[in-house]
Amino acid sequence: MSEPKPKSVVFPAEQTLRRVARERILVLDGAMGTMIQELKLDEEGYRGARFDAWNREVRGNNDLLILTQPDAIRKIHLAYYRAGADIVSTNTFPSTAIAQADYGMQDIAYELNLEGARLARAAADLAQAEDNRPRFVAGAIGPTNRTASISPDVSNPGFRAITFDQLRAACSTARRISCCSRRFSTP
């Protein structure tokens, strides 16, 4: 005989999301990277004051802008909401320790995910206050720059630069933030 399945907790934001999704089609935001490119930031713009003496180039690390250009990221989220989006994705697509290691920033992966969720939620709250429509935030968990499915070494097809367990551990940080942010993202 199997044990009863524990009841899952349904947070108010999830209840609202399910209700609204039953009523109409929900609109997801567009490409964050394209909007960031429009900012035309140089290396200094990416670094900000906090990372002005960082030991390598960081231009192109769009996730870093969560910490160095938070107002710009919040404005992008808000622009998508004002254009009709019901849901925006956090600017955290490659905010894993694996992907951030290219910049020597693997230690800030958790902070990137947490602050990314906070910025998106702040924009959602502003948009909702303007027109009283519920807005939602989706945590973006993207690929890394390493793959477990093919070898990066053509002479050794069995070699893998990363294991599934390493990928799972790296993505669990972002997933944990997304799950936890549901608790405070009540529209």
Side-chain angles (χ1 to χ4, degrees), residues 39 65-78 119:
L39 298 173
L65 299 176
I66 291 166
L67 304 177
T68 62
Q69 301 287 339
D71 291 339
I73 299 302
R74 189 181 312 102
K75 284 178 186 175
I76 292 171
H77 290 315
L78 188 57
L119 284 175

mmCIF file of all heavy atoms in Angstrom, residues 39 65-78 119:
data_model
loop_
_atom_site.group_PDB
_atom_site.id
_atom_site.type_symbol
_atom_site.label_atom_id
_atom_site.label_comp_id
_atom_site.label_asym_id
_atom_site.label_seq_id
_atom_site.Cartn_x
_atom_site.Cartn_y
_atom_site.Cartn_z
ATOM 1 N N LEU A 39 20.820 49.393 -25.376
ATOM 2 C CA LEU A 39 21.437 50.293 -24.396
ATOM 3 C C LEU A 39 22.816 50.754 -24.861
ATOM 4 O O LEU A 39 23.338 51.753 -24.359
ATOM 5 C CB LEU A 39 21.563 49.602 -23.031
ATOM 6 C CG LEU A 39 20.258 49.181 -22.364
ATOM 7 C CD1 LEU A 39 20.546 48.371 -21.104
ATOM 8 C CD2 LEU A 39 19.389 50.384 -22.051
ATOM 9 N N LEU A 65 24.295 43.004 -15.551
ATOM 10 C CA LEU A 65 23.588 44.288 -15.524
ATOM 11 C C LEU A 65 22.512 44.329 -14.441
ATOM 12 O O LEU A 65 22.094 45.408 -14.031
ATOM 13 C CB LEU A 65 22.991 44.588 -16.900
ATOM 14 C CG LEU A 65 24.017 44.693 -18.035
ATOM 15 C CD1 LEU A 65 23.310 44.885 -19.367
ATOM 16 C CD2 LEU A 65 25.021 45.797 -17.770
ATOM 17 N N ILE A 66 22.093 43.196 -13.971
ATOM 18 C CA ILE A 66 21.169 43.137 -12.834
ATOM 19 C C ILE A 66 21.770 43.876 -11.648
ATOM 20 O O ILE A 66 21.061 44.562 -10.915
ATOM 21 C CB ILE A 66 20.881 41.664 -12.448
ATOM 22 C CG1 ILE A 66 20.052 40.983 -13.537
ATOM 23 C CG2 ILE A 66 20.226 41.552 -11.089
ATOM 24 C CD1 ILE A 66 20.002 39.470 -13.403
ATOM 25 N N LEU A 67 23.089 43.743 -11.487
ATOM 26 C CA LEU A 67 23.779 44.367 -10.355
ATOM 27 C C LEU A 67 24.368 45.726 -10.699
ATOM 28 O O LEU A 67 24.435 46.602 -9.842
ATOM 29 C CB LEU A 67 24.897 43.440 -9.852
ATOM 30 C CG LEU A 67 24.476 42.032 -9.447
ATOM 31 C CD1 LEU A 67 25.681 41.214 -9.044
ATOM 32 C CD2 LEU A 67 23.446 42.066 -8.332
ATOM 33 N N THR A 68 24.802 45.910 -11.950
ATOM 34 C CA THR A 68 25.492 47.150 -12.300
ATOM 35 C C THR A 68 24.588 48.199 -12.953
ATOM 36 O O THR A 68 24.909 49.383 -12.905
ATOM 37 C CB THR A 68 26.690 46.864 -13.228
ATOM 38 O OG1 THR A 68 26.218 46.283 -14.448
ATOM 39 C CG2 THR A 68 27.693 45.928 -12.548
ATOM 40 N N GLN A 69 23.497 47.760 -13.562
ATOM 41 C CA GLN A 69 22.552 48.674 -14.215
ATOM 42 C C GLN A 69 21.116 48.268 -13.857
ATOM 43 O O GLN A 69 20.272 48.064 -14.743
ATOM 44 C CB GLN A 69 22.739 48.630 -15.744
ATOM 45 C CG GLN A 69 24.105 49.008 -16.237
ATOM 46 C CD GLN A 69 24.375 50.501 -16.118
ATOM 47 O OE1 GLN A 69 23.458 51.313 -16.039
ATOM 48 N NE2 GLN A 69 25.640 50.870 -16.094
ATOM 49 N N PRO A 70 20.803 48.147 -12.565
ATOM 50 C CA PRO A 70 19.475 47.639 -12.186
ATOM 51 C C PRO A 70 18.319 48.498 -12.697
ATOM 52 O O PRO A 70 17.269 47.957 -13.075
ATOM 53 C CB PRO A 70 19.529 47.605 -10.658
ATOM 54 C CG PRO A 70 20.611 48.559 -10.270
ATOM 55 C CD PRO A 70 21.607 48.511 -11.390
ATOM 56 N N ASP A 71 18.489 49.806 -12.740
ATOM 57 C CA ASP A 71 17.403 50.669 -13.234
ATOM 58 C C ASP A 71 17.095 50.376 -14.699
ATOM 59 O O ASP A 71 15.928 50.362 -15.102
ATOM 60 C CB ASP A 71 17.757 52.147 -13.052
ATOM 61 C CG ASP A 71 17.786 52.568 -11.593
ATOM 62 O OD1 ASP A 71 17.167 51.882 -10.761
ATOM 63 O OD2 ASP A 71 18.435 53.584 -11.281
ATOM 64 N N ALA A 72 18.132 50.148 -15.487
ATOM 65 C CA ALA A 72 17.930 49.853 -16.909
ATOM 66 C C ALA A 72 17.199 48.529 -17.086
ATOM 67 O O ALA A 72 16.286 48.425 -17.920
ATOM 68 C CB ALA A 72 19.278 49.818 -17.637
ATOM 69 N N ILE A 73 17.565 47.516 -16.317
ATOM 70 C CA ILE A 73 16.908 46.210 -16.420
ATOM 71 C C ILE A 73 15.448 46.320 -15.972
ATOM 72 O O ILE A 73 14.545 45.794 -16.635
ATOM 73 C CB ILE A 73 17.672 45.148 -15.610
ATOM 74 C CG1 ILE A 73 19.102 44.983 -16.143
ATOM 75 C CG2 ILE A 73 16.923 43.819 -15.589
ATOM 76 C CD1 ILE A 73 19.194 44.588 -17.608
ATOM 77 N N ARG A 74 15.201 47.016 -14.878
ATOM 78 C CA ARG A 74 13.828 47.215 -14.403
ATOM 79 C C ARG A 74 12.997 47.946 -15.456
ATOM 80 O O ARG A 74 11.844 47.596 -15.705
ATOM 81 C CB ARG A 74 13.824 47.984 -13.082
ATOM 82 C CG ARG A 74 12.451 48.049 -12.414
ATOM 83 C CD ARG A 74 12.437 48.834 -11.106
ATOM 84 N NE ARG A 74 13.498 48.496 -10.179
ATOM 85 C CZ ARG A 74 14.617 49.217 -9.980
ATOM 86 N NH1 ARG A 74 14.827 50.338 -10.645
ATOM 87 N NH2 ARG A 74 15.526 48.823 -9.108
ATOM 88 N N LYS A 75 13.577 48.949 -16.112
ATOM 89 C CA LYS A 75 12.862 49.704 -17.150
ATOM 90 C C LYS A 75 12.522 48.818 -18.342
ATOM 91 O O LYS A 75 11.455 48.975 -18.946
ATOM 92 C CB LYS A 75 13.701 50.903 -17.604
ATOM 93 C CG LYS A 75 13.699 52.043 -16.614
ATOM 94 C CD LYS A 75 14.576 53.184 -17.098
ATOM 95 C CE LYS A 75 14.680 54.261 -16.038
ATOM 96 N NZ LYS A 75 15.621 55.329 -16.431
ATOM 97 N N ILE A 76 13.405 47.912 -18.698
ATOM 98 C CA ILE A 76 13.119 46.987 -19.802
ATOM 99 C C ILE A 76 11.937 46.103 -19.429
ATOM 100 O O ILE A 76 11.005 45.922 -20.221
ATOM 101 C CB ILE A 76 14.361 46.156 -20.169
ATOM 102 C CG1 ILE A 76 15.434 47.050 -20.797
ATOM 103 C CG2 ILE A 76 13.981 45.010 -21.116
ATOM 104 C CD1 ILE A 76 16.787 46.366 -20.991
ATOM 105 N N HIS A 77 11.961 45.545 -18.227
ATOM 106 C CA HIS A 77 10.830 44.726 -17.777
ATOM 107 C C HIS A 77 9.533 45.541 -17.808
ATOM 108 O O HIS A 77 8.500 45.083 -18.308
ATOM 109 C CB HIS A 77 11.052 44.212 -16.349
ATOM 110 C CG HIS A 77 12.116 43.178 -16.210
ATOM 111 N ND1 HIS A 77 12.259 42.107 -17.058
ATOM 112 C CD2 HIS A 77 13.085 43.036 -15.272
ATOM 113 C CE1 HIS A 77 13.267 41.355 -16.660
ATOM 114 N NE2 HIS A 77 13.795 41.905 -15.578
ATOM 115 N N LEU A 78 9.596 46.753 -17.289
ATOM 116 C CA LEU A 78 8.411 47.613 -17.238
ATOM 117 C C LEU A 78 7.905 47.938 -18.651
ATOM 118 O O LEU A 78 6.696 47.962 -18.889
ATOM 119 C CB LEU A 78 8.718 48.887 -16.450
ATOM 120 C CG LEU A 78 7.539 49.796 -16.153
ATOM 121 C CD1 LEU A 78 6.430 49.066 -15.391
ATOM 122 C CD2 LEU A 78 8.017 51.018 -15.350
ATOM 123 N N LEU A 119 14.129 42.483 -9.271
ATOM 124 C CA LEU A 119 13.935 43.554 -10.257
ATOM 125 C C LEU A 119 12.689 43.319 -11.100
ATOM 126 O O LEU A 119 11.903 44.247 -11.339
ATOM 127 C CB LEU A 119 15.153 43.650 -11.184
ATOM 128 C CG LEU A 119 16.398 44.308 -10.628
ATOM 129 C CD1 LEU A 119 17.542 44.198 -11.635
ATOM 130 C CD2 LEU A 119 16.134 45.766 -10.302
#
